[in-house]
Each structure stands twice: as C-alpha cells, then as structure tokens.
C-alpha cells in the first residue's frame, strides 16, 4: 500500500471514530442536561444525534426505552418561550421507535401509545390552516386545533401523514404515503388518499375485507339450513312484502308445487320471494302459511 493510501485509511478511520463519538455525546437522554428540559424523558429513552427542531420540551413527554431517530422534529406550541399551560401537549409512550426525519407538531394534544413504530418521514400534527376568508392569504388565517390519538402497538408507514382530529385504534397499520383523517377502529389496515379501512380483524371472524366494513358475519343456524323466511328474504332483496299471508286448509302442500290442493287466498301482487306456479296447480298462488298438522310440501 502506498503512503497516500495509508494516510487516507488512517484519516477515514479517525473521521468515523470521531463521528461516532460525536453522535454518542450529542444524543439526548435522561443522563445529560438536554434531557432535563423535557416534562418527562423515561429511563432508556434516546433522541439520536443530529436532532431535529426540538422546542417546548416542558410540554413534551417521552416514555421509557423509546428511540427517536435522527433529525426528528418534536415541537409543542408555535415557537420557543411560549407558556402553554399546566398540561403536557405531546405524549409519546414507552418502547416506541420514531423513524428518522419525522415531524411531530403539537399545539393542543397529541397522544401516541406504547410500542408505536413509524417509518421515516412521518408527519403528525393536531393543527391545520383554515380557508374561511378567500381574500386573506391562507397562511395568515388563524389555524384550528383538533387532538390526535394513535393507539398502542400501531405501525405508521413511511411518509404517512396524520391530520388533526385523527383517532387511530390499537394495533393498526397505516400504509406508506397515506393521508389519514378521522376515526379508525382497533386492528385496522388503513391506506389511501384520503385514507380508509381496507382490512380489519374481528375476533371470531378473522380478517374481513373492506366491503364488509368490519361488520360481523352472522352464520346460519345449522338446524334451519336452507329454510329461509320469505318475509325476511323479501326484505333483504328490497322487494315489497305481500299484503297478507296465505292460509291453506287440510293437507295442502307448499305453494308452487304440482298437485297442491285447497284454496289459496292472495291479496296484492306476488313478491319476488314467491315461486311461480307450475302447470296443474290448483288455485291462485300466494306465500303459504301451513295450518294444522298437514305435512309441509316441498322443495
């Protein structure tokens, strides 16, 4: 190796060791003076160096063993030196991981649960600009606040944006790049612009697709499998119910089957739930309500 190569290698080693020492010394933790400014900075918590824009520490709480990545900005209020009252504004739970380059901008209330992980460049805020007056520049109009809640155990994908008023349940996934606003139940998969629930886990039913909207599926009673109430069938189909039920005497079979006897009374028109009349059926057709002990005719 040439002298130039030896010198370059030694210089690179010194730079890397020096940068590692700077990162260690520059990290914010409960053990150094920068950590004392926070409302609460739990044991084992760390804000990696280089840090982003951090101000309003007296209204920021960070739980135990939470890791905040490089260049993450966390702020409370519009700027340094403002009295924001007696309560904390930004609360990050324990054992969280906030991806590098993310921004958490609080003015009223941002509550992030325990074990919440984010990708890089996630943006979370409880304040937005308004557009009440079309003649005043939007940036000059007084903004509005709306609290944000992110449930424990959730994952926020890279570049996702959490807007004011959002409430995300426990154990939810937010897809990368999603723009989220509104309320979302536990165990949801949230994606899109604007974001919506694309999947949801319901105990007892498993993962449900979005078109069920998280609704619980009611399974039919095995004892009545294949036997549907015509009224309920008609309601489900969106058709009109018949005006009255049919009364059949004696041993009349099910309406609509050949060989049926007895007079069948009908008021109004046939519903979509009724069967057409095969040739040879006596009487007019109507939905049958079996009377007495006659056997049910049948399908």
């Amino acid at each position: 190796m040439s002298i130039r190569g030896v010198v370059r290698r030694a210089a690179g080693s010194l730079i890397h060791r020096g940068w590692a020492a700077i990162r260690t010394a520059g990290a914010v933790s409960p053990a150094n003076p920068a950590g004392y400014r926070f409302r609460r900075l739990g044991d084992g918590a760390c804000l990696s160096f280089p840090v982003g824009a951090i101000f309003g520490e007296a209204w920021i709480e960070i739980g135990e063993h939470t890791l905040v990545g490089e260049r993450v900005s966390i702020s409370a209020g519009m700027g340094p030196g403002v009295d924001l009252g007696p309560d904390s504004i930004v609360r990050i739970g324990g054992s969280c991981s906030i991806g590098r380059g993310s921004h958490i901008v609080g003015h009223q209330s941002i509550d992030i649960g325990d074990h919440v992980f984010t990708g890089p460049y996630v943006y979370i805020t409880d304040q937005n600009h308004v557009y009440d007056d079309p003649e005043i520049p939007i940036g000059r109009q007084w903004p509005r606040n709306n609290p944000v809640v992110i449930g424990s155990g959730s994952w926020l994908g890279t570049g996702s944006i959490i807007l004011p008023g959002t409430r995300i349940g426990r154990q939810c996934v937010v897809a990368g790049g999603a723009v989220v606003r509104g309320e979302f139940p536990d165990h949801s998969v949230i994606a899109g612009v604007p974001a919506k629930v694309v999947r949801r886990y319901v105990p007892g039913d498993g993962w449900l697709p979005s078109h069920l909207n998280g609704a619980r599926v009611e399974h039919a009673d095995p004892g009545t499998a294949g036997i549907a109430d015509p009224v309920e069938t008609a309601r489900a189909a969106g058709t009109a119910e018949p005006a009255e039920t049919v009364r059949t005497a004696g041993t009349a079979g099910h309406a609509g089957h050949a060989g049926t006897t007895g007079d069948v009374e009908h008021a109004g028109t046939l519903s979509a739930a009724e069967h057409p009349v095969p040739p040879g059926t006596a009487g007019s057709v109507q939905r049958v309500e079996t009377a007495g002990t006659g056997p049910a005719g049948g399908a």
Side-chain angles (χ1 to χ4, degrees), residues 84-118:
L84 303 175
D87 301 322
S88 60
I89 289 176
V90 176
R91 294 170 295 279
I92 304 173
S95 300
C96 295
S97 179
I98 309 299
R100 66 182 180 277
S102 296
H103 289 65
I104 301 173
V105 182
H107 297 84
Q108 181 178 353
S109 177
I110 295 178
D111 201 337
I112 300 173
D114 299 327
H115 304 282
V116 172
F117 284 62
T118 85

Side-chain angles (χ1 to χ4, degrees), residues 1 12 27 32 46 79 86 96-97 116 122 177 192 212 218 234 237 263 268 275 278:
M1 182 181 294
N32 60 36
C46 178
C96 295
S97 179
V116 172
V122 170
L212 294 179
E218 297 297 339
D263 293 330
H275 299 288

Side-chain angles (χ1 to χ4, degrees), residues 14 44-45 49 105 110 128 152 172 174 178 185 196 201 208 227 250 261 269:
L14 288 173
F49 182 86
V105 182
I110 295 178
N128 208 349
S152 296
C172 290
V174 176
K196 61 182 181 179
Y201 182 85
L208 301 182
I227 303 176
T261 60
T269 58

Side-chain angles (χ1 to χ4, degrees), residues 111-228:
D111 201 337
I112 300 173
D114 299 327
H115 304 282
V116 172
F117 284 62
T118 85
Y121 310 111
V122 170
Y123 187 84
I124 303 170
T125 185
D126 63 356
Q127 186 180 87
N128 208 349
H129 295 286
V130 300
Y131 197 12
D132 293 335
D133 192 329
E135 301 303 325
I136 298 176
I138 295 170
R140 300 294 182 187
Q141 299 187 44
W142 194 254
R144 291 196 186 98
N145 303 328
N146 205 342
V148 169
V149 176
I150 299 173
S152 296
S154 295
W155 161 260
L156 310 183
T158 301
S160 55
I161 299 172
I162 311 300
L163 294 175
T166 297
R167 298 181 66 89
I168 297 174
R170 296 176 55 256
Q171 301 288 122
C172 290
V173 171
V174 176
V179 179
V180 185
R181 185 174 187 177
E183 297 192 12
F184 300 87
D186 296 348
H187 307 290
S188 295
V189 178
I190 305 162
V193 181
K196 61 182 181 179
V197 176
V198 297
R199 266 185 107 192
R200 186 186 172 201
Y201 182 85
V202 176
D205 290 324
W207 288 102
L208 301 182
S210 59
H211 72 272
L212 294 179
N213 196 26
R216 192 174 185 83
V217 178
E218 297 297 339
H219 300 287
D221 183 354
T224 59
I227 303 176

